[in-house]
Amino acid sequence: MLSIVTGYFLWTAVFAGRSSIFNYSKEQMVLYILGASLVQAVVLSSRTVDLAAIINSGDLSQILLKPVAMFRYWLTQDIADKLLNILFSIAEIGFLWFLLKPSLMIPTVHGLILFGLFLPLALGLYFFINFLFGSLGFWTSEIWAPRFLLFVLLSFVAGNMFPLDILPVWLLKVVYWTPFPYLVYFPTQALLGRLPDDQIYSGLITATAWVAGMYFIAKCVWNKGLKNYDAEGG
Amino acid sequence: MNKYLKVWWWLTHISLATNLATIFSSFLFLTGKIIRFVFFFIFLFGLSRASGGIAGYSSQQVIVFYLVFNLVDTTTQLFFRGVYFFRRLVVNGSFDYLLIRPMSPLFRALIGYTDMLDLITLIPLVGYTIWFLIKMNVNITNLLWFGVMFLSGCILALTFHILILALGVVTTEVDNSIMLYRDLTAMGRMPIDIYTAPVREILTFIIPIAVMITFPAKALLGLLSWEWILFSLLLTCCFLLISLRFWKYALSQYSSASS
């Protein structure tokens, strides 16, 4: 909640005496910050952060013995965790909305449909990215460092701190080639109805390609890791 | 005093050995810290340039606030990283070993782990800050007052860490408290003036992040009056007394349940 408050006050101070900046009005920017916070709470939370620790401790053996498919097991845990996060986020953002009173924007049906398309892609993408990082536990116990680097990158190029379209065009084109903007930026802009038509189609195609690619890589790494698994400590 | 310095030196050696034993992880952590600093620097600079300043401060002044935040934050992280590992000591009963030693358990808990990666980032940060301030022609008087306020800010950060440790002894909840502290201090990356009442007042008088971070930056820019300097020093003394009192109380409540 504090990071949302900080973002809100920062952008309010930036817009002091100005009607628009980076083609955003103050109201649009505040809506983006609040929308991105909600999307971030749903997308960027995952139980698969525990996967590496479970592998290292040997507790994975207990899960492997159960008649459950591994991806579906972790996906179910993720969904349960995200449902809880949605409840807390709605409460937090509702409280902040009451306190800060930004202008209300009702998403259009078109925006909701696009959001409904981008959000599952974002959820799947982050799930597989995290699963991949968790699978590194088969080879090393030093997982926190790569995760920390991932979190740092996400905080700048996923779109949770600022809308990515304020970046220079050349940099934005580079960022669009990475999976990160499809986690927060694209779903949020879709919900707010700010995605140009050409970016809708290219965004959906690129996000789908990233989800498929990350699924394939995560599955390969997981299968290879299982062959390496010693059940040390289990 | 000698004894404490020796212990700190040995613990620092051990921390360095740990970093070197996991050199790839250390490299990734260092890279992450540098990327985080550089990206936010660019973001803040670009934002203040595009908007002609933030909260009445020019882009150069905004950068000074950000650099001072990093100086205070990195210095306190460097020395007080032991707080992050304190919960484990309380939960598994190892805290008892700290209590029976002929040394302040508070000192041992605070400096149990000196993060050498923060030292590696602190050196170029100090260098860049000095270069930036030379370019801004900061005068000696402001620099001296900055020194006083920086020390006061670090002591205030120390009091927060002591309060977190005391809370950890009483409740075993350290991780959530330290994360809350980190989120609160992150609000000081920009000048506190961006916040309106009552947030600004809360951050100045109740949870004095402004005193810890914004006031040293203002002193450096010659924007802090002697009344606020006096207030900061008094507030720091009060917080220090309160935190030490709370630590004493926490120790009296320690039951050593896990040992």
Side-chain angles (χ1 to χ4, degrees):
Chain A
M1 202 162 83
L2 289 176
S3 59
I4 304 171
V5 169
T6 307
Y8 170 81
F9 279 110
L10 173 63
W11 285 107
T12 305
V14 166
F15 277 97
R18 299 177 77 98
S19 58
S20 89
I21 190 165
F22 301 122
N23 291 325
Y24 280 84
S25 67
K26 180 185 160 187
E27 290 73 27
Q28 288 172 328
M29 188 59 80
V30 168
L31 266 172
Y32 178 87
I33 296 296
L34 289 173
S37 303
L38 184 63
V39 172
Q40 176 188 341
V42 175
V43 174
L44 299 187
S45 60
S46 177
R47 295 300 334 152
T48 48
V49 294
D50 300 335
L51 178 58
I54 286 173
I55 294 170
N56 290 150
S57 66
D59 290 338
L60 183 66
S61 311
Q62 295 174 29
I63 305 171
L64 289 171
L65 288 171
K66 290 175 179 159
V68 290
M70 194 52 61
F71 274 17
R72 263 175 258 172
Y73 173 82
W74 285 102
L75 191 61
T76 316
Q77 289 213 328
D78 244 28
I79 290 168
D81 186 58
K82 284 176 197 308
L83 284 172
L84 201 61
N85 272 349
I86 288 170
L87 285 172
F88 283 120
S89 299
I90 289 172
E92 278 170 17
I93 289 170
F95 174 71
L96 286 172
W97 207 294
F98 171 75
L99 217 61
L100 304 173
K101 297 180 177 53
S103 37
L104 191 67
M105 191 216 85
I106 311 288
T108 60
V109 173
H110 183 218
L112 283 169
I113 291 170
L114 286 178
F115 180 69
L117 290 172
F118 274 108
L119 187 65
L121 291 172
L123 294 172
L125 184 55
Y126 193 64
F127 172 75
F128 290 124
I129 289 173
N130 257 315
F131 203 90
L132 178 63
F133 272 80
S135 303
L136 295 176
F138 285 119
W139 293 278
T140 175
S141 57
E142 305 296 325
I143 297 300
W144 178 228
R147 274 202 191 280
F148 172 71
L149 193 53
L150 176 69
F151 291 149
V152 168
L153 286 172
L154 282 177
S155 65
F156 290 102
V157 293
N160 28 337
M161 198 185 292
F162 54 85
L164 296 179
D165 54 4
I166 72 173
L167 294 173
V169 173
W170 65 268
L171 185 57
L172 194 57
K173 281 184 180 165
V174 172
V175 169
Y176 279 174
W177 281 104
T178 69
F180 306 122
Y182 308 99
L183 295 172
V184 177
Y185 174 71
F186 268 85
T188 308
Q189 292 291 56
L191 184 65
L192 299 178
R194 284 188 62 95
L195 268 185
D197 286 340
D198 58 330
Q199 278 191 19
I200 293 171
Y201 300 116
S202 62
L204 284 171
I205 292 167
T206 313
T208 309
W210 270 112
V211 172
M214 291 309 298
Y215 166 72
F216 179 71
I217 295 169
K219 202 164 170 66
C220 285
V221 171
W222 175 260
N223 289 336
K224 204 165 169 63
L226 269 185
K227 290 178 189 164
N228 250 11
Y229 181 55
D230 293 333
E232 228 175 85
Chain B
M1 186 71 174
N2 223 7
K3 172 175 74 174
Y4 285 91
L5 274 172
K6 269 187 184 166
V7 168
W8 175 78
W9 186 246
W10 276 113
L11 288 172
T12 306
H13 262 111
I14 293 166
S15 306
L16 180 61
T18 311
N19 285 132
L20 290 173
T22 54
I23 198 143
F24 182 62
S25 291
S26 301
F27 172 73
L28 289 178
F29 271 123
L30 196 58
T31 307
K33 284 173 198 273
I34 293 168
I35 289 174
R36 186 173 56 189
F37 171 81
V38 170
F39 276 22
F40 202 85
F41 182 99
I42 294 169
F43 167 67
L44 214 51
F45 188 69
L47 199 62
S48 52
R49 278 281 290 269
S51 60
I54 298 176
Y57 296 101
S58 67
S59 50
Q60 275 196 325
Q61 290 174 323
V62 168
I63 293 303
V64 169
F65 281 101
Y66 181 60
L67 289 173
V68 170
F69 160 78
N70 278 283
L71 281 173
V72 174
D73 191 50
T74 308
T75 306
T76 50
Q77 293 297 308
L78 168 67
F79 290 108
F80 306 139
R81 191 68 80 168
V83 172
Y84 292 73
F85 303 100
F86 185 65
R87 183 181 180 272
R88 197 169 47 194
L89 297 181
V90 173
V91 164
N92 68 18
S94 301
F95 185 50
D96 294 8
Y97 296 121
L98 301 192
L99 291 170
I100 58 174
R101 283 179 187 153
M103 169 165 281
S104 164
L106 177 60
F107 172 82
R108 186 62 182 78
L110 277 169
I111 59 96
Y113 184 86
T114 303
D115 193 345
M116 297 308 288
L117 299 179
D118 283 321
L119 182 65
I120 295 170
T121 52
L122 188 63
I123 295 167
L125 176 65
V126 169
Y128 179 74
T129 306
I130 291 170
W131 175 81
F132 196 84
L133 294 177
I134 290 171
K135 266 186 66 177
M136 281 184 74
N137 291 318
V138 170
N139 69 51
I140 293 291
T141 315
N142 291 350
L143 211 54
L144 287 169
W145 281 120
F146 166 72
V148 169
M149 295 306 296
F150 176 78
L151 199 59
S152 166
C154 289
I155 293 171
L156 204 46
L158 168 67
T159 67
F160 280 122
H161 284 79
I162 293 172
L163 288 169
I164 289 166
L165 286 175
L167 208 61
V169 172
V170 174
T171 66
T172 73
E173 283 300 327
V174 173
D175 300 341
N176 296 331
S177 318
I178 200 78
M179 286 300 123
L180 180 61
Y181 163 78
R182 294 296 297 271
D183 283 343
L184 283 166
T185 50
M187 295 177 83
R189 277 192 285 193
M190 281 77 63
I192 292 290
D193 308 76
I194 68 167
Y195 304 104
T196 55
V199 176
R200 191 171 51 219
E201 277 69 33
I202 290 170
L203 293 176
T204 306
F205 300 107
I206 300 173
I207 309 168
I209 303 298
V211 177
M212 204 167 98
I213 298 168
T214 300
F215 281 21
K218 281 189 169 180
L220 196 53
L221 296 168
L223 299 172
L224 198 66
S225 64
W226 68 267
E227 291 97 345
W228 280 115
I229 292 174
L230 193 62
F231 164 76
S232 308
L233 296 174
L234 286 171
L235 188 77
T236 303
C237 291
C238 287
F239 261 76
L240 189 59
L241 284 168
I242 292 168
S243 63
L244 289 172
R245 265 284 161 91
F246 188 44
W247 170 254
K248 260 189 168 171
Y249 166 76
L251 283 185
S252 70
Q253 300 298 306
Y254 181 62
S255 58
S256 184
S258 304
S259 59

